[in-house]
Amino acid sequence: MKFATLNDGSLDGRLLIVSHQMNRALPVPDLAPSLLHALQHWETLAPALLARSQALDAGQAHGAIDFAPEDCAAPLPRSPQWLDGSAFLNHGQLMDKAFNKPPPPLVDTVPLMYQGASDDFLGSTADVALPSEADGIDFEGEFGVITGPVPMGVTPDAALDCIRLLVQINDWSLRALGPHEMKTGFGFVQAKPSTAFAPIAVTPDELGSAWRDGRIHMRLDVQWNDRRFGSPHGGEMSFGFGQLIAHAARTRRLSAGCIIGSGTVSNQSRDAGSACIAERRMIEKIDLGEIRTDFMRFGDRIRMQAMFDEGHAGPFGRIEQRVVPA
């Protein structure tokens, strides 16, 4: 199944079921007013939601409308919790090498993760209003999962059964503010403005064989101002989503609607390009001896879309955003 959220001015928006072809949508207020409500009552509502989805694909759903991504908020405009990992070790290794610093302890066995703001997610076409170009504006292309309830101490294998939906993410960063916040030991606050999401969240079966081993085996095509920036593959995750969920739930339960991010998609091959500017800058420093790429300016545009290995577009829709002054 595919889901989106119509931006109707409310905090959680209005739930839409999206057709397989992603051209029609169906509000289901009699079943669930919002996606968060559906996730909180998933075991009860999933069969009825599936029946409506099948009727929509068959052209038999009363009340169907044209699907317009630009009218949508993030699939979850807000969530109980947003936890972002750093599951692609190649990304961190490039940073460590460029700055000639030792890797964090246990980095190969214990995932890195921070807790971000989850009260104000951005839709896929929303302008990104930020205070200053001097803050080092950067995009970060990621994949993510939305969970149902997760018990404390869940194993990685059992954690995979807690995944309800898959999402595509642009986790905005302000690189000039990050170093100070990391040195404090208290984590990110100012360096992490609102995170953006592609318009559609999907059940794992929508990916077919591209969902396996707790990983999304798809490329993430990234274009900055209409120029290719990278197309790294999600299959190179060093930690799968089961491991990330288990790490987050080691000492606490997770509520339905919790979002877990993969961190920046990153591949060892230089040909894959990058999904964030900071990584390209580190590659330039390592390979060329100097940084040549600046961070984003007001008016810059970013586009991200997941692609199947066969070359056709994935089911999440596109992220297309512009950076503007706040």
Side-chain angles (χ1 to χ4, degrees):
M1 290 183 283
K2 296 182 175 73
F3 299 98
T5 292
L6 185 66
N7 187 358
D8 65 353
S10 66
L11 290 175
D12 295 312
R14 186 189 309 173
L15 176 63
L16 298 175
I17 298 174
V18 181
S19 67
H20 181 72
Q21 297 298 325
M22 298 161 58
N23 61 342
R24 299 285 283 169
L26 180 67
V28 285
D30 59 316
L31 294 179
S34 67
L35 182 55
L36 183 59
H37 179 94
L39 290 162
Q40 291 169 336
H41 302 85
W42 189 260
E43 299 302 326
T44 301
L45 293 177
L49 291 169
L50 177 59
R52 298 286 180 92
S53 176
Q54 292 170 338
L56 178 62
D57 285 334
Q60 299 172 350
H62 177 70
I65 59 176
D66 290 338
F67 178 59
E70 63 273 16
D71 293 336
C72 292
L76 282 178
R78 58 177 181 163
S79 103
Q81 195 165 190
W82 157 233
L83 298 165
D84 197 19
S86 183
F88 292 85
L89 291 184
N90 180 69
H91 178 71
Q93 289 165 354
L94 287 169
M95 300 295 184
D96 294 338
K97 184 175 181 180
F99 288 108
N100 193 28
K101 65 177 185 178
L106 305 177
V107 69
D108 294 333
T109 56
V110 179
L112 297 175
M113 184 173 287
Y114 80 91
Q115 185 174 31
S118 61
D119 61 330
D120 185 33
F121 293 135
L122 299 177
S124 62
T125 61
D127 284 346
V128 182
L130 295 170
S132 174
E133 293 177 343
D135 289 339
I137 303 168
D138 197 359
F139 49 83
E140 288 192 59
E142 306 186 13
F143 292 114
V145 299
I146 304 177
T147 74
V150 181
M152 181 171 62
V154 69
T155 66
D157 286 343
L160 292 176
D161 293 330
C162 299
I163 294 172
R164 299 289 180 261
L165 300 169
L166 311 178
V167 290
Q168 180 191 316
I169 299 168
N170 184 6
D171 183 37
W172 289 94
S173 290
L174 300 176
R175 299 297 188 182
L177 306 181
H180 168 73
E181 292 191 317
M182 286 188 286
K183 288 177 182 177
T184 67
F186 275 78
F188 298 117
V189 178
Q190 294 179 349
K192 285 294 184 179
S194 296
T195 300
F197 289 77
I200 300 173
V202 306
T203 50
D205 60 286
E206 291 285 339
L207 267 60
S209 63
W211 172 250
R212 61 184 187 274
D213 305 322
R215 293 162 171 82
I216 295 176
H217 290 259
M218 302 177 71
R219 296 195 322 272
L220 185 58
D221 283 357
V222 180
Q223 294 184 20
W224 179 11
N225 291 334
D226 297 324
R227 293 184 178 181
R228 178 189 181 272
F229 195 82
S231 53
H233 198 276
E236 282 195 27
M237 278 179 79
S238 304
F239 300 100
F241 280 109
Q243 293 168 287
L244 294 182
I245 295 169
H247 175 78
R250 181 177 179 271
T251 60
R252 57 181 171 177
R253 298 173 296 170
L254 305 182
S255 301
C258 180
I259 306 174
I260 309 286
S262 67
T264 305
V265 181
S266 178
N267 293 172
Q268 289 188 351
S269 171
R270 296 285 200 267
D271 292 340
S274 298
C276 74
I277 300 171
E279 182 173 294
R280 173 177 281 191
R281 285 164 60 91
M282 296 306 97
I283 291 173
E284 291 172 344
K285 185 173 182 179
I286 294 166
D287 292 354
L288 305 175
E290 63 178 2
I291 294 173
R292 298 181 178 180
T293 302
D294 292 329
F295 290 112
M296 299 184 80
R297 303 294 184 188
F298 293 141
D300 281 4
R301 290 167 288 108
I302 187 68
R303 177 183 296 172
M304 299 179 181
Q305 182 162 24
M307 303 292 291
F308 287 105
D309 289 345
E310 297 81 6
H312 56 279
F316 305 106
R318 285 195 301 269
I319 293 173
E320 297 185 83
Q321 295 185 280
R322 180 182 57 152
V323 178
V324 299

